[in-house]
């Protein structure tokens, strides 16, 4: 996948001295077919863009509205506004359906695992990128090979490894496994990043008597900040979305379930209990924080994710 | 940088390598070994050689799953890339050019933000969301509308002929925004002069798209195809949550991940499940290598 992808944003000027030409005043646009063809394309294009935006937004707004309705309203008038704001649906979802619990579990596991991933990943990547030693290449490829394997291949043995270590149904087990499975990409990305950092700063710091450890934490980590932020975003999104690992590793401890597992389970039970509004409230509680976080950080998230995957 | 180098290197590598070896490398290695046993989890594993693979070859569910992967493998990248390419062209190139600088159509920034949004939602959450969207009675988003205007409801997930396509629709719904952003980054790195020169020669937008954008974006397209292909070999979370009765109706939407999970953690057939894992591994690798080979061409210098 040897593609180099720049993260140049569209709104940047395209390089120095790129405009010696006079402004192009649409030369030879006289051909009528061209013009009508272009406007037709534009019309269809605008329509398609608008249509897709509607498709993306409508299900979410619909769920949000339904979270305030009661079951009768959901069935009889799926397309109208709720008669009143029934916050009790949200309360029921948060406490009785344990969405609050699942939510906090997800926050706990993902923040610990992302922190550990970034710490261990950057340590390994730094050493692999900037030190020559016996076995360097071997360890690097060991990490990178993890990118190519489907997780399902490891699922059965992983279950037994975690069980034998006594970590089944524990937060620790989940955090360690999330971290381990996030390392291949983190190391792969950060090795490339640490290689681009200038040597001169490192040498100056060494001459001033900094130890290797100090050099890493006080000089290299701050310099690598843009790369670290990209990978952190990538890991948070990836780990927050995890479904099959918690399904296998904490299945029998319901109080340790993460949000994705919890919501999936609620959707199964909603049918039996006929608590549809509770399901919509639970869904909204799961979706809303992501919308808010995304709305605030959308620039960083978009550029971070494309930088992260455009290897 | 000589003083104390080795203690430092070992100190920094010990924890990550240990963690990685225990939870990633060891399980992968063991998977191949377990696939040669008839292990049910209680007694010691019994070596059975290639028996599991022989059973696999006669397992209808397994072939059904493979078939679904092939459908997804063709349709998911094709549809997603086509839509995303069109949108990213609209959002970056199709607008007015002022002073030689290409821009997107009106509202480009807004669209890019909105389209990307599903990407930050967990697939399992999206699956629950679409369960309610696809619900077969008047409480479903789509069927609610259809029944109001007097049409028959569409049984999205219940009708075996369209269930897989309904699931595919959700995958496309989620993926398009990401590839719009990915392709936009690629298009942004194409120098404006090339478009200018082409326009001077009287190129229409359609020509611009096929003669300029597409060839210069080839590397990005290749990456997109590989990612979407690998996603087509996964699809576990969405099928397991969204489909009726776990890969149903009657196996019409099942995927290998689901069969592995079912055989291992419902029936405790660990050896058999691992054999499926190995099959999945070879399918994924074959796909990635094959794609990179086939799509290899001289990258255009600019």
């Amino acid at each position: 996948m040897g593609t180099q992808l720049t993260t140049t944003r569209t709104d940047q000027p395209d390089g120095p001295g790129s405009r010696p030409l006079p402004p192009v005043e649409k030369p030879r646009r006289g051909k009528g077919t061209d013009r009508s063809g272009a406007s037709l394309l534009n019309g269809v294009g605008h329509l398609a863009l608008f249509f897709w935006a509607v498709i993306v937004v409508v299900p979410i707004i619909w769920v949000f509205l339904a979270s305030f309705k009661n079951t009768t309203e959901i069935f009889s008038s799926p397309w109208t506004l709720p008669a009143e704001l029934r916050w009790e649906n949200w309360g029921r979802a948060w406490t009785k359906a344990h969405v609050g619990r699942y939510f906090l579990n997800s926050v706990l596991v993902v923040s610990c695992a992302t922190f550990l991933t970034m710490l261990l990943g950057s340590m390994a990547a730094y050493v692999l990128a900037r030190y020559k030693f016996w076995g360097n290449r071997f360890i690097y490829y060991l990490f990178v090979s993890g990118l190519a394997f489907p997780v399902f291949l490891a699922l059965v043995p992983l279950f037994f490894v975690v069980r034998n270590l006594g970590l089944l149904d524990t937060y620790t087990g989940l955090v360690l496994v999330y971290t381990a499975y996030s390392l291949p990409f983190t190391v792969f990305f950060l090795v490339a990043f640490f290689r681009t950092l200038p040597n001169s700063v490192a040498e100056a710091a060494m001459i001033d008597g900094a130890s290797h450890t100090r050099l890493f934490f006080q000089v290299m980590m701050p310099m690598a900040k843009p790369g670290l932020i990209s990978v952190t975003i990538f890991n948070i999104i990836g780990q927050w979305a995890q479904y099959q690992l918690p399904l296998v590793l904490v299945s029998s401890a319901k109080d340790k379930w993460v949000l994705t597992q919890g919501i999936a389970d609620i959707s199964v039970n909603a049918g039996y209990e006929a608590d549809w509004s509770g399901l919509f409230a639970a869904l909204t509680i799961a979706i809303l924080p992501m919308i808010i976080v995304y709305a605030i950080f959308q620039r960083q998230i978009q550029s971070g994710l494309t930088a992260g995957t455009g290897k | 940088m000589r003083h104390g180098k080795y203690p430092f290197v070992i100190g920094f590598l010990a924890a990550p390598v240990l963690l990685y070896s225990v939870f990633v490398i060891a399980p992968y290695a063991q998977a191949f070994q377990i696939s040669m046993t008839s292990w049910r989890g209680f007694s010691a594993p019994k070596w059975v050689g290639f028996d599991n693979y022989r059973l696999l070859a006669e397992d209808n569910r397994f072939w059904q799953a493979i078939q679904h992967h092939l459908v997804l493998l063709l349709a998911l990248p094709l549809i997603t890339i086509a839509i995303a390419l069109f949108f990213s062209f609209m959002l970056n190139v199709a607008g007015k050019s002022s002073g030689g600088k290409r821009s997107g159509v009106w509202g480009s920034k807004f669209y890019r933000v909105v389209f990307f949004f599903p990407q930050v939602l967990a697939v399992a959450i999206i699956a629950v969301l679409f369960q309610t969207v696809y619900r077969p009675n008047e409480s479903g988003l789509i069927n609610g509308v259809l029944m109001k205007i007097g049409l028959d409801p569409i049984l999205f997930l219940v009708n075996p002929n369209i269930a897989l396509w309904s699931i595919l629709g959700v995958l496309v719904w989620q993926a398009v925004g990401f590839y719009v952003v990915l392709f936009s980054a690629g298009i942004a790195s194409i120098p404006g002069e090339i478009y200018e020169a082409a326009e001077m020669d009287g190129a229409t937008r359609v020509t611009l798209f096929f003669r300029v954008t597409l060839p210069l974006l080839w590397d990005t397209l290749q990456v997109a195809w590989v990612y979407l292909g690998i996603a087509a070999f996964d699809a576990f979370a969405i099928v397991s949550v969204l489909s009726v009765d776990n890969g149903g109706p009657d196996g019409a939407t099942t995927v290998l991940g689901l069969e592995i999970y079912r055989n291992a953690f419902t029936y405790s057939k660990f050896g058999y499940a691992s054999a499926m894992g190995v099959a999945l591994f070879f399918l994924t690798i074959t796909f990635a290598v094959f794609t990179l080979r086939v799509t290899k061409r001289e990258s255009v210098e600019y």
Side-chain angles (χ1 to χ4, degrees):
Chain A
M1 305 181 202
T3 315
Q4 202 62 46
L5 200 115
T6 55
T7 44
T8 329
R9 308 201 61 94
T10 36
D11 42 358
Q12 270 172 6
D14 32 15
S18 67
R19 238 162 287 137
L21 290 165
V24 189
E25 268 309 320
K26 305 246 168 86
R28 292 195 285 149
R29 265 289 168 85
K31 282 181 272 176
T33 48
D34 180 13
R35 187 169 289 169
S36 66
S39 67
L40 181 71
L41 178 71
N42 248 1
V44 172
H46 274 293
L47 215 64
L49 287 170
F50 180 74
F51 180 66
W52 194 264
V54 167
I55 289 185
V56 168
V57 172
V58 161
I60 294 157
I61 294 176
W62 178 70
V63 164
F64 180 73
L65 291 179
S67 75
F68 294 110
K69 294 178 178 177
N70 59 28
T71 308
T72 337
E73 274 184 298
I74 288 172
F75 278 88
S76 62
S77 46
W79 270 105
T80 50
L81 292 174
E84 52 178 310
L85 294 182
R86 293 187 186 80
W87 289 103
E88 65 266 23
N89 294 340
W90 288 46
R92 209 166 59 244
W94 184 264
T95 51
K96 197 183 143 244
H98 311 292
V99 173
R101 173 97 219 191
Y102 303 144
F103 195 89
L104 296 175
N105 284 346
S106 270
V107 171
L108 176 77
V109 171
V110 170
S111 45
C112 290
T114 302
F115 174 77
L116 199 62
T117 305
M118 293 315 294
L119 181 71
L120 297 182
S122 58
M123 278 163 52
Y126 173 68
V127 168
L128 290 171
R130 301 191 70 95
Y131 288 80
K132 278 203 187 93
F133 56 90
W134 187 84
N136 181 317
R137 291 286 82 190
F138 174 74
I139 295 175
Y140 174 72
Y141 284 119
L142 200 65
F143 275 117
V144 172
S145 67
L147 283 171
F149 294 149
V151 179
F152 286 100
L153 176 57
L155 223 46
V156 172
L158 177 69
F159 172 79
F160 287 100
V161 167
V162 173
R163 198 182 73 171
N164 293 342
L165 291 171
L167 294 174
L168 211 60
D169 297 327
T170 63
Y171 293 124
T172 319
L174 214 49
V175 168
L176 291 179
V177 170
Y178 276 20
T179 306
Y181 281 84
S182 306
L183 280 176
F185 177 75
T186 307
V187 169
F188 172 74
F189 184 92
L190 289 178
V191 162
F193 201 85
F194 278 121
R195 283 210 185 111
T196 65
L197 296 182
N199 248 329
S200 50
V201 184
E203 275 162 14
M206 288 304 267
I207 290 167
D208 286 347
S211 67
H212 290 285
T213 319
R214 238 183 105 132
L215 175 69
F216 173 70
F217 283 108
Q218 295 195 336
V219 179
M220 290 314 219
M221 285 282 259
M223 279 208 292
K225 213 169 156 191
L228 293 176
I229 290 174
S230 287
V231 184
T232 306
I233 291 172
F234 188 88
N235 282 326
I236 290 175
I237 293 179
Q239 294 180 356
W240 186 265
Q242 240 333 313
Y243 180 66
Q244 77 260 25
L245 288 177
L247 198 63
V248 171
L249 298 179
V250 293
S251 62
S252 42
K254 217 175 166 175
D255 59 322
K256 298 204 174 64
W257 279 9
V258 296
L259 191 59
T260 45
Q261 251 178 312
I263 298 286
D265 185 60
I266 290 169
S267 93
V268 175
N269 290 332
Y272 300 123
E273 296 168 10
D275 185 6
W276 295 109
S277 49
L279 170 68
F280 284 109
L283 255 180
T284 310
I285 295 174
I287 291 174
L288 210 56
M290 296 312 281
I291 298 190
I292 295 169
V293 171
Y294 172 64
I296 299 170
F297 295 109
Q298 51 92 7
R299 263 186 99 88
Q300 288 89 324
I301 291 177
Q302 286 196 1
S303 59
L305 272 192
T306 40
T309 44
K311 15 182 173 166
Chain B
M1 309 253 266
R2 286 165 305 276
H3 179 69
K5 186 175 98 174
Y6 274 98
F8 170 73
V9 165
I10 293 167
F12 260 39
L13 277 178
V17 169
L18 180 73
L19 194 69
Y20 185 67
S21 308
V22 170
F23 290 110
V24 182
I25 296 294
Y28 279 131
Q30 282 175 46
F32 289 94
Q33 191 200 340
I34 296 175
S35 78
M36 300 283 192
T37 67
S38 64
W39 194 30
R40 309 284 313 240
F42 303 109
S43 49
K46 201 174 128 237
W47 187 265
V48 295
F50 284 93
D51 275 8
N52 285 325
Y53 294 93
R54 229 163 280 146
L55 286 174
L56 211 55
E58 294 159 10
D59 185 342
N60 277 336
R61 272 291 177 119
F62 172 75
W63 289 111
Q64 250 180 324
I66 297 275
Q67 222 178 339
H68 300 152
H69 281 301
L70 293 180
V71 171
L72 293 179
L73 191 58
L74 276 178
L76 179 62
L78 216 58
I79 300 172
T80 309
I81 290 178
I83 297 177
L85 253 184
F86 177 63
F87 284 161
S88 53
F89 182 75
M90 288 298 296
L91 296 179
N92 291 283
V93 188
K96 287 196 181 70
S97 63
S98 61
K101 191 167 176 268
R102 308 289 329 180
S103 64
V105 298
W106 187 82
S108 296
K109 278 195 179 136
F110 167 77
Y111 286 128
R112 211 170 317 178
V113 173
V114 171
F115 289 0
F116 192 83
F117 172 67
Q119 196 65 37
V120 297
L121 293 183
V123 179
I125 304 282
I126 290 178
V128 177
L129 174 71
F130 271 86
Q131 241 179 17
T132 70
V133 168
Y134 281 159
R135 213 174 290 143
N137 52 36
E138 70 271 23
S139 71
L141 190 152
I142 302 174
N143 283 323
V145 177
L146 289 181
M147 290 168 85
K148 272 264 147 57
I149 56 176
L151 292 173
D152 284 337
I154 301 171
L155 305 175
F156 290 100
L157 300 165
V158 186
N159 181 344
N161 295 323
I162 58 170
L164 188 65
W165 294 97
S166 304
I167 286 172
L168 178 77
V170 182
L171 290 173
V172 173
W173 180 85
Q174 197 210 12
V176 161
F178 174 75
Y179 291 93
V180 167
V181 173
L182 186 73
F183 295 155
S184 294
I187 290 175
S189 67
I190 299 173
E193 291 93 336
I194 296 183
Y195 283 111
E196 245 170 69
E199 274 207 324
M200 296 259 266
D201 293 343
T204 63
R205 268 159 217 210
V206 177
T207 330
L208 277 186
F209 178 77
F210 283 105
R211 289 298 181 78
V212 181
T213 309
L214 210 52
L216 291 180
L217 219 56
W218 193 256
D219 281 348
T220 315
L221 285 181
Q222 191 186 344
V223 171
W225 196 282
V226 173
Y227 284 149
L228 283 163
I230 288 174
F233 278 118
D234 185 348
F236 169 75
I238 189 146
V239 171
S240 131
V241 179
L242 181 58
S243 68
V244 290
D245 135 61
N246 267 318
D250 200 19
T253 56
T254 195
V255 289
L256 276 179
L258 203 72
E259 294 304 318
I260 292 171
Y261 181 83
R262 193 205 313 274
N263 277 292
F265 300 103
T266 309
Y267 309 140
S268 298
K269 291 191 202 163
F270 297 113
Y272 191 57
S274 294
M276 278 189 185
V278 173
L280 179 63
F281 166 74
F282 281 111
L283 279 173
T284 316
I285 295 288
T286 311
F287 160 74
V289 172
F290 180 74
T291 313
L292 291 174
R293 273 284 158 82
V294 166
T295 56
K296 198 173 187 178
R297 46 148 100 168
E298 292 295 307
S299 59
V300 186
E301 298 287 332
Y302 53 85

